[in-house]
Amino acid sequence: MNQPSSDDSPLSSLPRHVAIIMDGNGRWAKRRLLPRTAGHRAGVSAVRKTVERCAKLGVEVLTLFAFSSENWRRPSDEVGVLMRLFDRALAQEAQRLHDNGIRLRVIGDRSAFSSHLQKRIADTEALTCDNRRMTLLIAANYGGRWDITQAARQLAGRVERGEIAATEINEEMLASHLSFTGLPEPDLFIRTGGELRISNFLLWQLAYTELYFTDVLWPDFDERELDRAIAEYAKRERRFGHISEQLTGQSRHAVTSA
Ligand code: IPE
Ligand code: IPE
Ligand code: MG
């Protein structure tokens, strides 16, 4: 059972893992007659607020979708700005994350990044790897289809080497080869920016996640908006295939998918 920390939370049920598609930076900028990249810059401070609020509330894992495997299709100057912002945010925030007990991990195919950025990621992960207060997963050059494909490739390699038989492959084994394993699956998914789609985010892991969509554009997302999403989550009844009556007497959030 997850209880909110004694901190300041009036919330009755806290998600262990929150996963967010941070969308709407471009539109935020356009409304202000600014270049799209100004929206991405403004989005960084929403990231900071969200990370701090989640850590304060006692969320165990926060996953943020920063760059999808399809975002390379954007104009190259925008992609360049996004890469530089990612690099700078890691450089500026690494120590603060570490001081706050936050472990940072990047999920996605990092081989496409510059060697400089790959080193920055590895250094930040190494600095923070023993922290246990909260895990921050940044999905960068991430795609749900990529993730399932790379897991399938690893399994096929194991079969080829004679380590396992194809008939032994089950859901647990496949899940253990996805980009994060050993962490709870997302309880609450949030997408800002008003679009009602998953855009190739965590496809496997969202199977039983509660979905929450808001029109708020990412740079305007803050503690209040996060609390609103968590309050909405607390009202949901998670049944994992059971019927409502089977859940009587236990927390609506305590049932597992098992
Ligand atoms: C999300 O905002 C940031 C990234 C995808 C990197 P967008 O840039 O997609 O903003 P909109 O959707 O165009 O407003
Ligand atoms: C999803 O947003 C990816 C990230 C927020 C990183 P997009 O703006 O790329 O999604 P689509 O293209 O509107 O589906
Ligand atoms: Mg978008």
Side-chain angles (χ1 to χ4, degrees):
M1 249 310 274
N2 339 301
Q3 293 297 339
S5 70
S6 54
D7 239 324
D8 55 352
S9 169
L11 307 165
S12 60
S13 183
L14 188 70
R16 295 177 67 190
H17 184 168
V18 177
I20 307 181
I21 297 186
M22 310 182 288
D23 196 22
N25 294 350
R27 281 162 285 162
W28 182 92
K30 198 170 173 191
R31 281 184 197 171
R32 288 165 178 74
L33 306 177
L34 295 167
R36 292 179 54 82
T37 49
H40 297 316
R41 281 180 234 288
V44 176
S45 62
V47 169
R48 200 176 294 120
K49 289 178 196 165
T50 304
V51 170
E52 283 176 8
R53 183 66 181 159
C54 282
K56 197 170 179 193
L57 289 174
V59 168
E60 291 171 45
V61 186
L62 171 64
T63 301
L64 300 176
F65 203 7
F67 191 86
S68 77
S69 38
E70 289 71 35
N71 286 146
W72 297 106
R73 297 171 184 162
R74 295 189 177 200
S76 61
D77 54 346
E78 179 169 342
V79 171
V81 167
L82 286 167
M83 293 299 144
R84 280 194 293 282
L85 270 178
F86 185 28
D87 183 56
R88 196 182 316 156
L90 285 174
Q92 287 174 351
E93 302 298 325
Q95 193 58 47
R96 193 208 299 245
L97 290 172
H98 187 48
D99 292 344
N100 282 290
I102 296 167
R103 170 171 65 156
L104 179 127
R105 277 174 53 188
V106 172
I107 57 169
D109 181 5
R110 62 180 77 180
S111 68
F113 297 145
S114 70
S115 50
H116 172 83
L117 181 52
Q118 288 187 48
K119 181 169 184 322
R120 177 85 74 201
I121 291 169
D123 289 348
T124 313
E125 287 178 331
L127 173 72
T128 62
C129 68
D130 292 327
N131 295 335
R132 287 291 173 269
R133 183 172 172 217
M134 185 174 87
T135 298
L136 173 61
L137 295 177
I138 301 289
N141 193 20
Y142 180 87
R145 289 179 176 175
W146 166 83
D147 202 0
I148 296 169
T149 305
Q150 65 79 26
R153 198 179 300 122
Q154 288 187 53
L155 287 173
R158 292 184 64 191
V159 172
E160 214 170 54
R161 291 190 296 276
E163 293 166 14
I164 53 166
T167 48
E168 281 178 66
I169 296 172
N170 56 22
E171 289 184 13
E172 286 69 31
M173 198 185 285
L174 195 142
S176 73
H177 288 80
L178 294 171
S179 20
F180 64 87
T181 173
L183 296 172
E185 291 191 342
D187 300 296
L188 170 62
F189 159 98
I190 299 171
R191 182 171 187 147
T192 63
E195 309 294 357
L196 306 180
R197 54 179 173 253
I198 303 292
S199 299
N200 198 19
F201 193 28
L202 305 161
L203 296 180
W204 174 283
Q205 299 90 338
L206 291 178
Y208 267 106
T209 304
E210 295 298 324
L211 307 179
Y212 177 88
F213 296 91
T214 170
D215 289 335
V216 172
L217 303 172
W218 178 250
D220 293 326
F221 195 82
D222 58 12
E223 298 83 353
R224 206 172 52 116
E225 295 299 335
L226 179 74
D227 287 0
R228 194 171 277 168
I230 293 178
E232 167 66 28
Y233 166 83
K235 288 190 222 152
R236 306 266 180 99
E237 181 180 72
R238 305 187 75 187
R239 290 193 287 277
F240 297 102
H242 296 91
I243 63 167
S244 198
E245 287 70 16
Q246 291 176 293
L247 311 177
T248 316
Q250 43 186 315
S251 160
R252 289 176 306 175
H253 292 265
V255 184
T256 68
S257 53

